[in-house]
Amino acid sequence: TPSLSGPVGFTGSVAGDPATVAVMLDTAGGVIRLSDIAASLLGMDVRGTVALPPGDAPVMPQLEGTITDLAPLGRMLGTPLAGAGTFEATSSDDGSGAVTFKAAMRRLSVEDVLVGTLQLDGTRAHSGEIAARGRARGIKVAHINVEQARIDVSGPMLRLALSAALSGISTFED
């Protein structure tokens, strides 16, 4: 079977935001490998590699990134977003197809919800099931302040269940 290999790049804009992407592409053996990824788009800088095996085999990322501003992503999604932070996604070495992920955000806002800091660690199984735990501090929603929250997220991506234990709850009038 024929294969492709070599550098691939893009410079332009995505959702009105400047974007550049540079990767090394290799399709040998039926696996699409993107290595030496260097992408800057939608307020994020991403580095790493991704392997896309054929069929139902799991996607295998080794990515890390910095989020300088979530606003461009929010514009693309049609939802006001703000915040900055870091993230990583790493495929397991055991062949299970699981991907571990971590995110650390600060000054996060989604619509009218403000979060001072958010730490999230989790796993996505090859089946698509998510299991994640996190901690948020400095939450403001409407007229309510929450000093701290422990968060658990689980289930399939399109039907995630969320539970939270909140502490230090007060109103702006307190």
Side-chain angles (χ1 to χ4, degrees):
T1 46
S3 64
L4 300 172
S5 65
V8 177
F10 166 81
T11 300
S13 65
V14 174
D17 193 54
T20 59
V21 178
V23 305
M24 289 299 293
L25 170 69
D26 185 356
T27 64
V31 175
I32 299 171
R33 287 181 188 80
L34 305 174
S35 60
D36 299 328
I37 296 169
S40 181
L41 65 159
L42 298 173
M44 295 179 272
D45 292 316
V46 182
R47 306 278 181 261
T49 63
V50 175
L52 306 159
D56 194 29
V59 172
M60 297 179 296
Q62 303 290 333
L63 297 171
E64 61 182 39
T66 302
I67 301 166
T68 55
D69 184 5
L70 282 173
L73 179 62
R75 282 193 299 277
M76 187 179 87
L77 298 174
T79 300
L81 296 175
T86 60
F87 63 91
E88 62 182 62
T90 306
S91 56
S92 65
D93 293 332
D94 63 8
S96 68
V99 175
T100 59
F101 56 88
K102 294 181 180 193
M105 300 295 299
R106 61 191 179 282
R107 297 180 314 276
L108 179 64
S109 73
V110 180
E111 302 260 340
D112 295 329
V113 178
L114 306 173
V115 180
T117 62
L118 172 66
Q119 300 274 353
L120 188 64
D121 295 287
T123 303
R124 184 202 48 87
H126 177 55
S127 66
E129 290 283 317
I130 303 285
R133 295 196 116 175
R135 182 175 301 275
R137 296 182 184 272
I139 304 163
K140 293 178 172 57
V141 181
H143 295 286
I144 300 171
N145 286 323
V146 177
E147 286 180 16
Q148 179 172 284
R150 284 189 326 267
I151 304 161
D152 288 298
V153 180
S154 61
M157 187 63 171
L158 297 177
R159 293 184 310 145
L160 289 172
L162 171 70
S163 64
L166 310 176
S167 62
I169 300 172
S170 63
T171 63
F172 289 156
E173 288 82 33
D174 288 350

